Amino acid sequence: MASIAQTTISPVKGSFNLSNYDCVRKSFDWEDASKELHFWESGKVNAAYETIDRHVVDGYGDKIALHYINENEKRSLTFSEVKEKTDHYGRILKQHGVKKGDRVFIFLPKTPECYISILAVIKIGAIAGPLFEAFMEDAVKDRINDCKGTVLITDKDLVQRVQRADIPSLETILFSEDIEATPVENDREEVVEWLGKEDGLIIHYTSGSTGKPKGVLHAHRSMIHHLQSGKWVLDIKDDDVYWCTSHPGWVTGSVYGLFAPWLNRATIVIQGGRFKAENWYQLMEDLKVTTWYSAPTAFRMLMSQGDLFKNYDLSSLRHILSVGEPLNPEVIHWAWNNLGLRIHDTWWMTETGGHLIVNLPAELIKPGSMGRPFPGITVGILDDEGNELPRGEVGQLAVRAPWPGLMKEIWGNKDKFDSYFKYEGWYSSGDLALQDEDGYVFFQGRSDDMINSAGERIGPFEVESKLIEHPAVAEAGVIGKPDALRGELVKAFITLRTGFQESEELLEEIRLFVRKNLSAHAAPREIEVMNELPKTKISGKILRRKLKEWEIQKVQ
Ligand code: ATP
Ligand code: MG
């Protein structure tokens, strides 16, 4: 059995009510959960209506829906204003002939207009395809071509990266700068297109950590999952100011940056501009952010800034969450010791449409674990034949299918879609994990990342986490390097913290540190110091695939 972290962190007394969570664990039911949305009675389905218009109908039109902040601009919009703007954008799209099921791409920086465009597309029954603002020409072209997008909403700056001649399906480009001022022909026309739960909602391309990004199509039924995970995991309350740092071009930025918080009527923060530790802390102080959802890379960057947080009043902050990559125990301890808050890890994928493994606010956290299955979700650890393994053994992380947020299809690739369901009744994630006796799931790596050295299976994440516990190590990526004798040997790529110089002695010290504190067989035999680790564009995941490619090239 792989080693499991022994320490646990309990929630701060009085901050959450544990009995609520005990109750939801026992009694949660997806059917009951969906009754909280209007469509249950009206029979009319549209996720944009549920996200925004419903709150106006229910009398919350004057509540602040969003605060927007970037280096030289600051503004806020109420739910009524967001509704009116999405209606207007929707009408303009209709004037351009956009119909139910059309793919409309949105290529905009993180501005209110980006969020409004996504909702407007959904409101009129089309499928939204949000693109990350840092994508360059090929990334934009490949995605729009893949699912034959017909319309693109962008701005006069980003349009320079759109090679229109190479995107034959693209009929119309609209500029967000112009939409606002364009008059509508019929402002009384009903904008909302009523749909079925299985109709297409949004298409997201995966991060591309393991290969070509896949076009994952989600259906309107996902909003049941978004609403419930927003309520229980993000723990959204009416007076919360909620900030998700991801751009809506990534699934976290749409599901947990837009749908889940707004379905729960939260005031959200939209922050433009790049990461800068000072700006992030300042934003949290200025807007009195209560709930903050980010990623391990960002937490590690803040951690490397040491005591900087002491210059800011972060007393409004009550709930922190993380997603996207393994959350190293060291990072959890840093937040606990310095900010006095626990970081709640969450595990899910573009394909899963919502949280599947979580740390609910009131529950015990085991640093190193991603948490436990969300209520209503059953996890299995499977062997290569699809049989369930006993607790404590490492195998393929699978989930009983279906659930409301599960993808509808991989665009144009039925074989790929089917490959997730190769074991009867299960969705296979492609990640490796173990589950302990208490139900906590420990990530071990992606199936492709697992290292096999002299017959031992070694998960890169555990080694990376140990490496960054060493004071000299800022970040680490660990791979199996092909080796004639052992099959593979453990090789680590690291970056050093400021103030440390590379030397033989230091690398040996780091190696011994892992050997002593983790195990001899997992201690890296080779350590290479780099200025920077290769990462996926801005979603910032360490690309072990790249590291491995380099190593293989060197050997050849
Ligand atoms: P691609 O599928 O194109 O290779 P990707 O898998 O990185 O890219 P995403 O859907 O953005 O695309 O990411 C999902 C993956 O991210 C998961 O399969 C898992 O490997 C990793 N991940 C997500 N959350 C966590 C977490 N809390 N801990 C560890 N890993 C996580
Ligand atoms: Mg993936």
Side-chain angles (χ1 to χ4, degrees), residues 418-448:
D418 291 343
S419 70
Y420 291 86
F421 303 97
K422 56 181 181 241
Y423 305 125
E424 183 82 41
W426 294 102
Y427 163 89
S428 299
S429 69
D431 287 348
L432 295 170
L434 67 85
Q435 192 171 25
D436 75 4
E437 292 298 333
D438 302 324
Y440 284 79
V441 181
F442 292 73
F443 181 83
Q444 301 293 307
R446 302 192 183 234
S447 311
D448 302 347

Side-chain angles (χ1 to χ4, degrees), residues 206 210 214 349 351 420 429 446:
T206 55
T210 53
K214 300 163 281 267
M349 307 165 63
E351 297 89 328
Y420 291 86
S429 69
R446 302 192 183 234

Side-chain angles (χ1 to χ4, degrees), residues 142-155:
D142 290 350
R143 285 163 177 77
I144 305 180
N145 275 336
D146 183 63
C147 68
K148 306 204 168 31
T150 52
V151 177
L152 172 71
I153 306 176
T154 185
D155 65 22

Side-chain angles (χ1 to χ4, degrees), residues 26-262:
K26 287 194 195 98
S27 63
F28 186 89
D29 173 83
W30 285 117
E31 178 89 358
D32 283 346
S34 58
K35 292 182 186 160
E36 288 174 39
L37 290 165
H38 272 205
F39 76 78
W40 189 259
E41 299 218 320
S42 65
K44 294 175 166 183
V45 179
N46 186 301
Y49 176 88
E50 300 286 348
T51 307
I52 295 292
D53 299 22
R54 178 168 60 103
H55 305 311
V56 178
V57 174
D58 291 348
Y60 294 93
D62 293 337
K63 186 179 172 184
I64 299 289
L66 68 88
H67 294 298
Y68 171 58
I69 185 159
N70 81 9
E71 271 134 45
N72 41 31
E73 203 184 342
K74 213 171 169 181
R75 56 189 157 114
S76 303
L77 294 177
T78 64
F79 277 99
S80 289
E81 288 168 322
V82 175
K83 177 190 175 300
E84 279 156 28
K85 283 180 187 289
T86 53
D87 284 352
H88 179 81
Y89 274 57
R91 289 189 169 111
I92 301 291
L93 287 166
K94 278 189 163 188
Q95 274 171 215
H96 281 90
V98 177
K99 297 178 308 300
K100 179 180 165 185
D102 288 351
R103 276 77 59 210
V104 177
F105 277 83
I106 297 107
F107 186 34
L108 288 171
K110 230 194 223 180
T111 56
E113 287 64 36
C114 175
Y115 291 62
I116 286 162
S117 301
I118 294 171
L119 284 172
V121 171
I122 294 168
K123 206 173 224 182
I124 62 163
I127 297 168
L131 296 170
F132 180 47
E133 63 183 300
F135 281 158
M136 299 309 284
E137 283 81 351
D138 283 352
V140 172
K141 182 182 73 184
D142 290 350
R143 285 163 177 77
I144 305 180
N145 275 336
D146 183 63
C147 68
K148 306 204 168 31
T150 52
V151 177
L152 172 71
I153 306 176
T154 185
D155 65 22
K156 290 173 184 168
D157 177 27
L158 290 178
V159 75
Q160 291 166 26
R161 294 194 219 141
V162 181
Q163 297 170 325
R164 192 164 183 177
D166 296 335
I167 314 176
S169 61
L170 195 59
E171 293 162 9
T172 311
I173 295 182
L174 300 173
F175 294 114
S176 66
E177 296 98 326
D178 299 339
I179 296 181
E180 201 91 12
T182 308
V184 292
E185 286 152 15
N186 178 2
D187 62 2
R188 287 172 175 258
E189 187 194 6
E190 165 85 276
V191 195
V192 181
E193 176 86 22
W194 298 111
L195 305 161
K197 279 185 276 187
E198 283 301 324
D199 281 325
L201 171 76
I202 195 162
I203 184 161
H204 271 296
Y205 284 81
T206 55
S207 303
S209 309
T210 53
K212 189 174 174 289
K214 300 163 281 267
V216 177
L217 178 66
H218 290 285
H220 278 251
R221 61 174 148 77
S222 315
M223 65 185 148
I224 299 164
H225 197 157
H226 302 164
L227 175 85
Q228 295 301 331
S229 50
K231 180 161 141 186
W232 294 108
V233 185
L234 306 180
D235 190 53
I236 287 169
K237 302 281 188 288
D238 239 353
D239 49 3
D240 274 325
V241 178
Y242 169 87
W243 181 32
C244 170
T245 58
S246 176
H247 183 282
W250 302 116
V251 77
T252 298
S254 79
V255 172
Y256 294 106
L258 188 165
F259 296 116
W262 272 348

